[in-house]
Amino acid sequence: MNTRDEANRPRILIVEDEAALGLLLTYNLEAEGYLVERCDRGDEAELRLLESPPDLIVLDWMLPGISGIEICRRLRARDATRALPVIMLTARGEEGERIRGLSVGADDYVVKPFSVPELMARVRALLRRASPERIAGRLAAGDIELDRETRRVRRGGREIHLGPTEFRLLDYLLEKPGRIFTRAQLLDAVWGMSAEIDERTVDVHVGRLRRALSRGRETDPIRTVRGAGYGFDEMFGRA
Ligand code: CA
């Protein structure tokens, strides 16, 4: 793993005192490509958050040291972490307390026991909402431009007609140039987690996207990494 790649990966802090659940979440979030840190005490979490805030925090409600709700309140009171996405985990008996969790500024909450894919989907949704690139209506690299509002793609002034899947695929790849996504990650992000689709489908759509983007001798902006997956070439348009 090189440092550039690490710098591109969202950092997630898990604060959970149930060791088995903490490990399960760490394992699954790492498998999705996130950089994961974990701690099992509220006071320890507080120190880490002061040192270097992550991109998102998964925060248990009941914790030794400082409670999740108090951590959340403090996060919201500091400029550096005011907008940090927080997913709160609550036990079933604490459900009545949800409103309090949301009132201190948690962005989302999940009631235990929850399904891991559901939590993963919420993590993705929150990161997406929080990331400034998402707010931008337009993505560009080299002579390729993608406009999210008009759903138009252009290369060097010529309009490129993409199907809806190819459009989403390009949007997703263009958002993180240089990052290589596995077929499973692309299926999940572009087709949706419920999709029961063969991974070869990804190859078919990447092929279509490539043919649409590059004519004649134009440089192919999409990288294929054998055995790994696909990504948008971060050197595209710079060479
Ligand atoms: Ca707990």
Side-chain angles (χ1 to χ4, degrees):
M1 193 67 60
N2 66 40
T3 41
R4 171 190 270 155
D5 188 28
E6 291 222 344
N8 278 332
R9 295 159 69 197
R11 285 177 51 227
I12 297 182
L13 176 65
I14 299 172
V15 192
E16 170 58 73
D17 58 323
E18 283 170 50
L21 181 56
L23 274 173
L24 178 73
L25 294 179
T26 303
Y27 174 82
N28 280 279
L29 288 165
E30 281 178 347
E32 293 235 344
Y34 301 115
L35 285 173
V36 181
E37 289 169 48
R38 183 163 63 94
C39 59
D40 54 10
R41 293 187 55 89
D43 40 5
E44 191 195 329
E46 176 76 356
L47 288 176
R48 290 210 197 182
L49 287 164
L50 285 170
E51 267 169 28
S52 81
D55 296 301
L56 180 143
I57 175 168
V58 177
L59 184 60
D60 188 27
W61 181 285
M62 301 292 278
L63 289 167
I66 303 172
S67 75
I69 203 164
E70 181 55 28
I71 291 174
C72 195
R73 202 192 313 272
R74 293 182 191 181
L75 284 173
R76 294 301 177 243
R78 287 194 294 267
D79 284 340
T81 53
R82 203 178 295 282
L84 175 66
V86 176
I87 298 179
M88 200 85 129
L89 305 180
T90 65
R92 197 160 283 287
E94 298 156 2
E95 265 183 275
E97 300 276 290
R98 276 183 207 177
I99 305 295
R100 240 178 100 212
L102 294 173
S103 75
V104 295
D107 297 277
D108 206 348
Y109 59 85
V110 176
V111 179
K112 296 179 189 174
F114 52 82
S115 84
V116 171
E118 187 198 338
L119 183 70
M120 296 297 131
R122 294 191 186 203
V123 165
R124 275 194 302 274
L126 264 184
L127 282 173
R128 197 159 274 213
R129 224 198 290 161
S131 89
E133 302 96 306
R134 266 283 152 187
I135 295 161
R138 191 177 153 275
L139 294 172
D143 58 355
I144 295 179
E145 283 176 31
L146 178 149
D147 188 319
R148 286 175 168 151
E149 275 153 35
T150 60
R151 299 189 70 80
R152 283 193 160 155
V153 175
R154 304 178 77 79
R155 178 164 190 178
R158 112 182 120 92
E159 182 132 5
I160 290 175
H161 299 280
L162 297 177
T165 305
E166 285 74 35
F167 182 88
R168 285 200 304 276
L169 190 57
L170 178 61
D171 182 314
Y172 193 71
L173 296 175
L174 206 44
E175 204 171 51
K176 291 218 161 39
R179 179 161 163 197
I180 301 299
F181 298 95
T182 64
R183 290 170 177 79
Q185 284 171 330
L186 291 173
L187 269 183
D188 214 31
V190 175
W191 280 260
M193 54 184 261
S194 57
E196 299 267 329
I197 301 172
D198 193 286
E199 293 195 353
R200 275 168 298 187
T201 304
V202 176
D203 303 335
V204 172
H205 287 273
V206 168
R208 279 189 203 154
L209 177 60
R210 275 200 159 114
R211 285 191 296 278
L213 288 177
S214 311
R215 264 194 199 162
R217 292 194 196 165
E218 285 176 332
T219 318
D220 180 359
I222 295 176
R223 283 181 62 204
T224 303
V225 178
R226 274 178 75 95
Y230 299 104
F232 195 91
D233 189 347
E234 77 270 38
M235 294 312 289
F236 176 75
R238 293 191 198 172

